[in-house]
Amino acid sequence: MKHFAAASIVALCAAPALAQDTTVIGVSIPAATHGWAGGMNFHAQEAVDRLEEVYPELDFVLATAGDPSEQVSDIEDMVATRGISALVVLPFESEPLTGPVANVANQGVWVTVVDRGLSQEGIEDLYVAGDNTGFGQVSGEYMAENLDEGAQIVALRGIPTTIDNERVAGFEQAIEGSGIEVLEMEHGNWNRDDSFTVMQDFLSKYPQIDAVWASDDDMAVGVLAAIEAAGREDIQFVLGGAGMKEMIQRTMEGDEMIPANVTYPPAMIATAIELTAVGMVSSAPVSGQFTIGSVLVTEENAEDYYYPDSPF
Amino acid sequence: MSTAETTSAPTQAPRKINIQVLGPIIALVVLVIVGALMNSNFLSYANVTNVLARSAFIGIIAVGMTFVITAGGLDLSVGSMAAFIAGLMILVMNYLLPSMGNGVPIILVGMLAALVAGLAAGFLNGFLITNMRIEAFIVTLGTMGIYRSLVTWLADGGTLSLDFGLRQTYRPVYYEGILGISWPIIIFALVAIAGEIVMRKTAFGRYCAAIGSNDQVARYSSVDVGRVRILTYILLGVLVGVATIMYVPRLGSASSSTGVLWELEAIAAVIIGGTMLKGGFGRVWGTVVGVLILSLIGNILNLTDFVSPYLNGAIQGVIIILAVILQRGRKAEG
């Protein structure tokens, strides 16, 4: 966060002098409230730093918001006081952001939407999408392939949102007909402490659990701690997701409890910022949709997804 | 002992004391019976240990909160403070690892750092409230934001993790104990017993109640109001440090999502237990019952398929209100 503060101060000071010949790109993202968002903040900052160096004619304003209404204010401020030519936005929630972002688009500002789509189609010029249904599907397929018929699993869900619903729907679709029985799903809120508690209670409730779909690496940390503390040997593996570096490392080293991971790269914000910048400085067309698929990471390819410098 | 009489003013008639005292206990017993009926594993050793151990963090903090609220104060910053102290503790231990090496001494240094940080943070709250004469709500709302931001900043938006080797050394503090009772439960029990004794048997406890009842009268009775107030916040800060010492070995990490809403859970536990939110009367053992009620609700909801998980918060809300109604029901008549 300290980098952001510094960056915005620099940006604010530099703005008036260069106002004539610079193009300002606004980047509005949710604050680092959990591991994945922390990684996303890191990659956004890194992309901004890199691009400001490569393209002196570009200037960036980066704002992080703690809730949807704060994000709306951030965007309004960017348009009113910084005269942005392009906006890269990762909406906190789709519904509340749709109207304000549509207003910005109507003023002729280029709009790039990242990860979560807006609830109305056709507002954005570029949509860099994460594939939540795909994330669930890849996870489900892994479970179906690696568990026997009749295997019993429990699942932890994220914060109740559209993202979480899409993931779970994809997962359920993929395990349909595989004979895997989902004993129960409960919200762990993408939080280590919550998922530790939920997993402890699952362990008390079910004497036999074959595998856990933690659906997120932060939750996997809590789940693993609960299993270890209970000393249970029946659980064959825990499937997390999103590619936290510590988890990828364990997969890379062949840890049997964490044989795989499913990516949902926080660096997709960098893809969006880079593409937007290219669109601003060159004549290369960048409008349309760019979907970042969720990939299965196993011991074989884990090295390609290991980013030791990222906070996530 | 005029102050002691002031404290028991709301509970003059013996018959009223009964229902007030029994309210939270009845709620707890009902929850235990419901839990036992719904799932046979509810009363198993493992589940009881889990629930008590996870109650310890909020519980230790809530004992301190009882004193602050009894003295007419409030502290909203404890959740953020716990996250910040956890982050600080991890950083200190990781930093000292190369020079001190892995072992018991470095863990002790980490624990000391947590206690000192808690003491300092509690003093800061207390100082701003008593010496700068700012409302407790505003001061602690401010420090709540400050500590939460600081831990995010320290972690660079991510998660601070304790070195793997250190985690193995420190782990037993949460997971092991004496005679099958794990350390967090033992510490929670000791803190609760000490708190109960201080509240009922010492001058400090009676001063807290006197100040919460009427700080002007307390001042005329030559109670050093400022000093007692500041001490309640320091006590709470140190107890937040103690809770953090028990929390860090559990997962060995701290992030901006650590300790979210702990302050409200602690305040809710204190009020369920029969302490008055406006001050003047505090009951430490009631707070312990309140904490257990809150933990049990979550546990029972997880152990049963009773309601949609979306409604967990609603159930908790209803039970909190019911517990307080049960406790205050008869008071309206008098």
Side-chain angles (χ1 to χ4, degrees):
Chain A
M1 212 57 57
K2 55 195 169 220
H3 308 301
F4 300 156
S8 7
I9 290 164
V10 170
L12 282 171
C13 302
L18 300 168
Q20 253 80 51
D21 46 358
T22 53
T23 305
V24 184
I25 299 179
V27 181
S28 169
I29 53 177
T33 48
H34 55 274
W36 188 88
M40 189 263 297
N41 277 244
F42 168 84
H43 288 291
Q45 185 59 47
E46 210 181 42
V48 165
D49 288 347
R50 197 188 80 80
L51 289 167
E52 278 185 335
E53 220 162 277
V54 176
Y55 306 115
E57 68 270 39
L58 287 184
D59 199 3
F60 288 87
V61 199
L62 182 71
T64 61
D67 59 66
S69 67
E70 195 182 331
Q71 190 171 28
V72 171
S73 313
D74 283 347
I75 293 172
E76 284 169 357
D77 288 350
M78 284 178 188
V79 175
T81 64
R82 302 299 312 275
I84 53 170
S85 312
L87 171 70
V88 179
V89 57
L90 197 159
F92 214 103
E93 280 286 330
S94 304
E95 289 290 338
L97 264 300
T98 299
V101 173
N103 283 341
V104 175
N106 289 339
Q107 293 172 40
V109 173
W110 173 280
V111 172
T112 302
V113 173
V114 193
D115 187 21
R116 280 153 243 195
L118 298 172
S119 35
Q120 213 181 325
E121 276 180 35
I123 295 171
E124 68 273 2
D125 300 278
L126 169 64
Y127 180 23
V128 176
D131 186 3
N132 283 304
T133 311
F135 177 92
Q137 259 164 356
V138 173
S139 309
E141 281 159 14
Y142 182 83
M143 287 278 182
E145 272 166 36
N146 290 278
L147 289 172
D148 301 326
E149 210 174 309
Q152 295 178 316
I153 65 166
V154 290
L156 282 97
R157 305 184 56 162
I159 295 168
T161 46
T162 323
I163 303 171
D164 185 58
N165 292 342
E166 285 177 6
R167 288 181 176 184
V168 171
F171 181 81
E172 283 174 336
Q173 210 179 356
I175 59 165
E176 209 176 75
S178 65
I180 295 176
E181 186 195 347
V182 180
L183 294 168
E184 198 174 340
M185 290 193 177
E186 185 80 47
H187 291 277
N189 303 324
W190 292 316
N191 176 301
R192 295 181 181 198
D193 292 311
D194 290 358
S195 48
F196 177 84
T197 308
V198 168
M199 191 63 206
Q200 274 194 330
D201 291 344
F202 277 159
L203 290 169
S204 304
K205 192 172 174 184
Y206 302 109
Q208 172 70 34
I209 299 172
D210 295 304
V212 182
W213 183 43
S215 80
D216 173 83
D217 285 335
D218 263 324
M219 293 204 281
V221 171
V223 166
L224 288 166
I227 296 173
E228 198 190 340
R232 286 274 288 263
E233 304 284 342
D234 49 325
I235 295 133
Q236 297 164 29
F237 64 86
V238 175
L239 181 62
M244 181 195 288
K245 62 180 174 186
E246 287 86 359
M247 288 294 165
I248 297 280
Q249 191 182 12
R250 287 174 75 167
T251 304
M252 198 158 73
E253 288 163 359
D255 189 326
E256 279 177 11
M257 273 305 267
I258 308 151
N261 208 305
V262 181
T263 62
Y264 194 80
M268 66 174 69
I269 187 72
T271 314
I273 298 173
E274 299 261 356
L275 282 174
T276 309
V278 167
M280 288 291 122
V281 297
S282 75
S283 53
V286 292
S287 59
Q289 180 166 343
F290 190 102
T291 306
I292 294 170
S294 285
V295 186
L296 183 72
V297 180
T298 56
E299 196 180 339
E300 285 75 41
N301 63 353
E303 217 171 327
D304 304 339
Y305 298 93
Y306 183 54
Y307 308 106
D309 295 336
S310 161
F312 184 62
Chain B
M1 283 308 108
S2 60
T3 50
E5 276 149 32
T6 328
T7 61
S8 51
T11 58
Q12 278 159 353
R15 264 166 274 116
K16 286 175 191 170
I17 292 175
N18 282 341
I19 191 70
Q20 272 213 333
V21 170
L22 286 180
I25 295 181
I26 293 170
L28 185 63
V29 169
V30 168
L31 276 175
V32 170
I33 293 172
V34 168
L37 289 178
M38 287 197 164
N39 193 303
S40 55
N41 286 326
F42 178 74
L43 290 176
S44 68
Y45 166 76
N47 191 53
V48 171
T49 301
N50 285 345
V51 172
L52 290 177
R54 75 172 72 132
S55 310
F57 315 134
I58 303 282
I60 293 168
I61 293 172
V63 169
M65 189 68 86
T66 310
F67 285 90
V68 169
I69 292 180
T70 302
L74 192 68
D75 193 338
L76 296 173
S77 69
V78 290
S80 305
M81 196 194 286
F84 172 66
I85 295 174
L88 197 69
M89 201 177 163
I90 290 170
L91 282 179
V92 165
M93 286 195 280
N94 283 349
Y95 176 77
L96 289 176
L97 184 60
S99 54
M100 286 185 72
N102 195 349
V104 176
I106 191 168
I107 304 292
L108 291 177
V109 171
M111 289 178 172
L112 187 69
L115 293 177
V116 171
L119 192 140
F123 175 78
L124 181 70
N125 277 341
F127 178 79
L128 290 171
I129 291 162
T130 51
N131 292 47
M132 297 288 129
R133 301 188 181 284
I134 314 171
E135 284 80 358
F137 188 92
I138 296 302
V139 168
T140 57
L141 189 67
T143 48
M144 171 171 95
I146 293 170
Y147 295 133
R148 182 68 59 199
S149 298
L150 281 177
V151 72
T152 314
W153 179 69
L154 286 177
D156 218 355
T159 303
L160 288 164
S161 293
L162 193 60
D163 176 83
F164 189 75
L166 277 175
R167 208 179 303 176
Q168 293 308 314
T169 317
Y170 196 0
R171 206 176 165 275
V173 173
Y174 182 82
Y175 293 101
E176 281 165 32
I178 319 173
L179 302 173
I181 306 169
S182 68
W183 285 114
I185 303 175
I186 295 171
I187 302 292
F188 178 23
L190 289 178
V191 166
I193 291 167
E196 178 69 21
I197 291 171
V198 170
M199 182 65 90
R200 291 173 77 126
K201 303 277 181 203
T202 67
F204 177 72
R206 285 190 290 267
Y207 288 160
C208 286
I211 293 169
S213 235
N214 188 329
D215 60 343
Q216 287 305 327
V217 173
R219 196 166 277 125
Y220 297 145
S221 319
S222 75
V223 173
D224 190 344
V225 172
R227 196 171 136 265
V228 172
R229 274 221 171 109
I230 220 170
L231 277 175
T232 59
Y233 289 97
I234 292 176
L235 175 68
L236 177 54
V238 171
L239 288 176
V240 172
V242 173
T244 312
I245 288 172
M246 309 315 298
Y247 169 82
V248 170
R250 185 165 87 168
L251 295 174
S253 63
S255 70
S256 55
S257 62
T258 299
V260 171
L261 295 183
W262 281 12
E263 59 281 347
L264 293 186
E265 276 190 56
I267 294 170
V270 171
I271 304 309
I272 291 173
T275 299
M276 304 222 282
L277 187 54
K278 63 180 167 60
F281 177 72
R283 198 194 276 147
V284 172
W285 68 261
T287 299
V288 174
V289 173
V291 170
L292 295 180
I293 289 176
L294 288 179
S295 300
L296 280 181
I297 298 168
N299 181 242
I300 291 172
L301 289 172
N302 281 344
L303 285 181
T304 55
D305 308 310
F306 187 43
V307 282
S308 152
Y310 295 130
L311 288 175
N312 279 10
I315 303 285
Q316 281 182 338
V318 168
I319 294 180
I320 290 171
I321 294 172
L322 276 182
V324 177
I325 290 176
L326 211 58
Q327 176 206 130
R328 309 246 165 109
R330 296 292 163 83
K331 242 181 69 188
E333 292 170 18

